[in-house]
Amino acid sequence: MAGVEEMESQTDDKENSSEKIVKTKEKNSNQDSEKLMKLPLSRIKSIMKSDPDVTLASQEAVITIAKATELFIWELSKDAVHSTLQSKRKTLQRKDLDCILDTRDCYLFLEGTLD
Amino acid sequence: MAERPEDLNLPNAVVTRIIKDAIPDGVNVSKEARLAISKAASVFVLYATSCSNNYAMKAKRKTINANDVISAMEEMEFDQFEDPLKHCLEAYRNEQKNKKEANEKKKKEKEVEVQTVEDVMEEEEDDEDNDGDNEKDEDFVAEEDEDDDEEEDEEGGDVESVGLGSVANDNASVSGSATGSVVEISDDDG
């Protein structure tokens, strides 16, 4: 797919450096962005490329989606731990997640995907 | 969308770090819950990409840009993400601008260094006798020749008279003017 190849050329530099680091120190994979990004941009880009309808994405778009994903993980965890604390447990379990997935509308897109 | 991106999971260490930052201290996360959150994050990326792509296509563009992603958050019912994403984007753009300026500055400094080195090398090439100046050795030779000529003029320009005069100076008296004429020499032994 030509469009996908153009995406590769846009982020080749970051991909080459981040892929090597992810194998060893995943936490430090984005220190070149001065701690703005924790998730590796190469992995985000790989997931985006798996969508056949997507042709091109700017570097800023990849970064924005990466940051949005970090916020999503944070939000999901924060919501799920409410169920944990209500049950007076000290370990967040899968059932806590299932509980909040049914509660909030914004998590409806996840229905059937985590089984 | 009922896709299962099992091969496109995000790094476990990073996901765990984000989860632990979100939950209170002392609360742990089970392996199953961590895996489920990681899968959910991958599905989120796909969903966000698809929604962003729709915005780009509506605007008749083939490239998804950052504004498309921010607009998609509203459609996905994640309005609370808009402000943090805008701040993050602004910070990234400032960082890129600073990097670009720093690179241009380094490039200019390198050009100045190269020019200085080239100038020094040219000066060294001109200084053949390594005496610190660019004058050639032939100049010194030329000066010595001039001195010899001057000496000859003073003593009449006659080699023989000079030689004899220098030998006989101790015992001989020299008379006459030194205008080039032969000088009479008398030897007094005694």
Side-chain angles (χ1 to χ4, degrees), chain A residues 17-52:
Chain A
S17 58
S18 61
E19 276 179 352
K20 287 176 187 174
I21 297 169
V22 161
K23 289 175 185 174
T24 54
K25 295 182 182 179
E26 292 174 348
K27 290 181 182 179
N28 297 327
S29 63
N30 287 302
Q31 280 189 350
D32 57 340
S33 301
E34 294 179 3
K35 298 179 183 177
L36 285 177
M37 294 293 126
K38 294 175 187 173
L39 294 167
L41 295 178
S42 58
R43 204 72 69 90
I44 299 288
K45 199 181 63 171
S46 299
I47 300 172
M48 290 172 73
K49 278 160 61 175
S50 65
D51 186 338

Side-chain angles (χ1 to χ4, degrees), chain B residues 97-111:
Chain B
K97 187 182 170 186
N98 291 336
K99 273 185 184 176
K100 192 180 176 183
E101 286 172 1
N103 284 338
E104 283 176 4
K105 192 179 175 185
K106 274 184 186 176
K107 196 179 174 183
K108 281 183 184 175
E109 284 174 2
K110 273 186 181 178
E111 285 175 2

Side-chain angles (χ1 to χ4, degrees), chain A residues 26 32 36-37 43 47-48 50 53-56 58-61 63 69 74-75 77 90-92 109, chain B residues 4 8-9 11 14 19 22 27-28 30 33 45-47 49 53 62-64 80 88 92-93 95 99:
Chain A
E26 292 174 348
D32 57 340
L36 285 177
M37 294 293 126
R43 204 72 69 90
I47 300 172
M48 290 172 73
S50 65
D53 296 330
V54 172
T55 52
L56 290 168
S58 69
Q59 179 74 351
E60 287 186 349
I63 283 167
T69 309
W74 196 86
E75 189 86 5
S77 305
K90 287 193 176 179
T91 302
L92 197 158
F109 73 95
Chain B
R4 294 182 182 184
L8 297 172
N9 285 329
V14 180
I19 295 171
V27 179
N28 297 319
S30 73
V45 172
L46 275 171
Y47 183 37
T49 303
N53 196 37
K62 290 185 180 178
T63 307
I64 299 172
Q80 67 272 27
C88 173
Y92 169 75
R93 284 171 178 166
E95 183 195 341
K99 273 185 184 176

Side-chain angles (χ1 to χ4, degrees), chain B residues 151-189:
Chain B
E151 286 174 4
E152 285 178 3
D153 288 337
E154 285 174 2
E155 295 179 13
D158 190 348
V159 176
E160 288 180 0
S161 65
V162 169
L164 287 171
S166 62
V167 170
N169 271 341
D170 293 336
N171 300 318
S173 59
V174 176
S175 61
S177 60
T179 55
S181 60
V182 176
V183 176
E184 291 181 359
I185 298 166
S186 59
D187 292 329
D188 290 332
D189 294 328

